[in-house]
Amino acid sequence: MNILITGANRGLGLALATEACKRGHHVIAGVRSPGSDAEGLQKLLAAFPEQVTILPLDVADENSVRYASEQAGSRLSSLDAVINSAAILLGRDQKLEQLDMEQVEQSFQINLYGPIVVLKHFLPLLRQGSQQVIINISSEAGSFAGAYGGDYSYALSKSALNMFSAQLKRELAPAGIIVHALHPGWIKTDMGGDQAPGDAASSAVGILNLVERKTTADELFIDHSGSAMRL
Ligand code: NDP
């Protein structure tokens, strides 16, 4: 399979790229700033030189996404999966009175508009693939049912990402393209921190099983094992 992964230079994105390579897939690794802070990805490229294509891809910049899609289109005839993993979590402890509206905008720019613009430009290539799957990495923080009165910008952007995923699922169902919004678990990454009980590698195994359709789920919003999450 040809699999596009955004934010592939660290955290869950890198774990997904690694697991996909181990399974013999070709990874188009979207990276905001190739070269900096991407040692893990460089190691992966060295280990699987035929299977990794690194593309500059800043999900907050439509020109960058368009250019990346053109680059991918010139190298590949089709794409079979897109995993939108890139995201930011800002203003962790801000209560409403302290909310920094610029950070709210930035969060929506990256966490919501990012996946939208990535899919807008990569969908033509994805339509040429087979057994296609789109995974928008969301979060339990975006669950209405689990609203916890914090992380406003992050939670709201993920909640809206779930809605975008629901819309897209409906639009692409006739084409046989699967769409999920997926909570990867609380995992040890720069975002998740050291206290997290889970690890990115195990989450990536579950997500790749969904990408390969070894695990299937009817629900839109699921976790990495394919179990339904409350919207
Ligand atoms: P990290 O903070 O470890 O990594 C975030 C990644 O997103 C980095 O690769 C970063 O690139 C990239 N990124 C940020 N902004 C952009 C941008 N504008 N363009 C391209 N890439 C960008 O996060 P995680 O790996 O933990 O998170 C992965 C996904 O999982 C996210 O969607 C997150 O919301 C979700 N999630 C994570 C949880 C956890 O416990 N870790 C829990 C629930 C959900 P750069 O190095 O350039 O900054």
Side-chain angles (χ1 to χ4, degrees), residues 7 9-12 32 37 57-60 85-88 110 137-139 154 158 183-187 189-192:
N9 57 307
R10 61 187 169 97
L12 180 63
R32 170 159 51 178
D37 196 25
L57 200 169
D58 179 345
V59 304
S85 186
I88 51 169
I110 293 175
I137 303 294
S138 182
S139 170
Y154 182 76
K158 292 296 191 179
H183 171 60
W186 181 22
I187 49 176
T189 60
D190 293 338
M191 186 188 288

Side-chain angles (χ1 to χ4, degrees), residues 148-212:
Y148 53 83
D151 295 331
Y152 281 94
S153 52
Y154 182 76
L156 290 167
S157 66
K158 292 296 191 179
S159 185
L161 179 64
N162 290 355
M163 179 57 177
F164 167 60
S165 306
Q167 293 270 36
L168 199 63
K169 179 180 163 82
R170 192 53 85 85
E171 184 186 340
L172 298 182
I177 302 176
I178 289 176
V179 180
H180 288 295
L182 184 146
H183 171 60
W186 181 22
I187 49 176
K188 284 183 202 68
T189 60
D190 293 338
M191 186 188 288
D194 294 338
Q195 302 304 310
D199 65 278
S202 313
S203 187
V205 168
I207 295 168
L208 260 294
N209 286 342
L210 286 151
V211 166
E212 292 176 340

Side-chain angles (χ1 to χ4, degrees), residues 1 7 11 22 30 33 43 64 73 81 86 89 94 99 111-112 131 142 167 171 177 211 220 230:
M1 295 178 81
K22 284 185 188 163
S33 15
K43 277 189 195 151
S64 160
L89 198 177
Q94 285 172 8
L99 204 59
N111 301 357
L112 174 65
Q131 302 275 297
Q167 293 270 36
E171 184 186 340
I177 302 176
V211 166
L220 170 78
R230 287 191 307 163

